[in-house]
Each structure stands twice: as structure tokens, then as C-alpha cells.
Amino acid sequence: TGPALTLRNPVYATERELLKLALQRPELVSPAFDAYGVDEFTAAPYAAVRQAVMDAGGAEYGVQDPQEYLVRVREAAPDDVVRAMVTELAVEAIMRKKVDEVYAGDQLVTVRRRAVERRVRDIQSSLARLGQHADPAHFAAVQNELWVLQQYDQALRERGAEAL
């Protein structure tokens, strides 16, 4: 259903890589990964896998009980398509020879920064639609949310995974 996922798309490639880390090496992405929303994954199949991980107890569960973790994630998947995607991601090679905290942190930050950037664009669009005739309190609240997100994005850019 929907367009095919192409890994030439850097957004999809990074989301896929982060999910592989969450399934294969949860100790490298937990607990930060568990705070990520389903909406931070733009590809529907990846969002469904993220939901299954969440429903299975999160990556933190994978750290606590690695033997049972993948079984729980597969059981939490809503259908065979998502179960197949979980299996695929659980066995596919991670695209780095040295898989460590630094690499995992880079993937976490990249996915989060893209989500923040999308939200910033949405808010800027809302501000443009509101215009100068908007309720001042509502306009100020939207401007404040924009400012907070821009500060967070700057912290992610400067400090990386430390800012998560």
C-alpha cells in the first residue's frame, strides 16, 4: 500500500537504520528511542514497526529481556506485513562496521531533528495563516512553541545525543 520505500531517500534510510538499532541493539538507543513518537517516522511501515516496539514494552524491554524482545515485538504487530517488516529489520545488517553509542546517537539525533524541522515548518505555516489579526494570546503561544522548538533544534545540532 502506498509508494515503495526507496532507501535512496535519506529520511527513509535513517528511519530504517534507527529501527534496526532498536530491534538488534536496543541497549544503544534506549531509553531515548522509547520517547520517540510514531509520528517521527514518516514512512507508514516504519511508523507501524515503531508502534509495535512501543506496544511490546519499548526498546527498554529489549535491554531487560533480549531473548523475549523480538517475539513480543512481532506479536504486537497488527498484521503479517508489519511482522515481516520487523523480521526483516531484525536480521538486516546495520550499515556501519562499528556499531556503537556514537553511531546510534547520530541516528537518534537525525530522526529527531527531521521531526523537529517538520514541526517548525508546520508552526511557521500556522503563524502565516493566523496573520496579524489573530488573538494575541494564541499568536504568542504559537510563537513561543516555535521559539522552543528552534532552541531544541539548535541544541541537537550543537550537542547531538546529549540534547535528547
Side-chain angles (χ1 to χ4, degrees):
T1 63
L5 293 177
T6 174
L7 296 184
R8 282 184 245 156
N9 177 329
V11 173
Y12 292 163
T14 307
E15 291 174 7
R16 184 179 189 90
E17 199 67 3
L18 181 54
L19 288 169
K20 289 190 298 187
L21 287 164
L23 293 169
Q24 297 176 31
R25 300 288 307 274
E27 73 280 2
L28 294 177
V29 296
S30 181
F33 179 82
D34 291 339
Y36 281 49
V38 172
D39 61 332
E40 294 188 69
F41 293 84
T42 58
Y46 298 157
V49 171
R50 170 65 190 105
Q51 183 67 52
V53 170
M54 192 177 346
D55 292 346
E60 182 62 32
Y61 187 87
V63 174
Q64 295 170 12
D65 190 354
Q67 299 296 324
E68 187 66 22
Y69 177 53
L70 289 175
V71 172
R72 284 180 59 133
V73 174
R74 282 183 46 80
E75 288 174 352
D79 56 39
D80 288 341
V81 173
V82 177
R83 277 188 281 286
M85 178 66 71
V86 168
T87 300
E88 184 178 318
L89 294 170
V91 298
E92 186 176 298
I94 294 172
M95 303 308 280
R96 183 74 162 269
K97 285 185 182 186
K98 183 179 181 186
V99 180
D100 58 8
E101 292 84 9
V102 173
Y103 181 67
D106 289 346
Q107 303 312 301
L108 285 161
V109 167
T110 301
V111 169
R112 176 58 57 87
R113 282 203 61 219
R114 287 181 179 140
V116 168
E117 290 165 0
R118 285 191 303 276
R119 182 68 186 136
V120 164
R121 284 192 303 273
D122 290 347
I123 292 172
Q124 288 171 332
S125 177
S126 292
L127 281 172
R129 283 192 307 275
L130 285 173
Q132 55 207 39
H133 302 294
D135 171 49
H138 179 63
F139 192 79
V142 173
Q143 279 186 314
N144 186 57
E145 182 181 1
L146 177 62
W147 182 83
V148 168
L149 283 169
Q150 289 171 331
Q151 295 302 307
Y152 182 48
D153 187 48
Q154 181 176 348
L156 288 169
R157 196 171 47 253
E158 293 172 358
R159 298 195 335 254
E162 290 177 25
L164 291 170

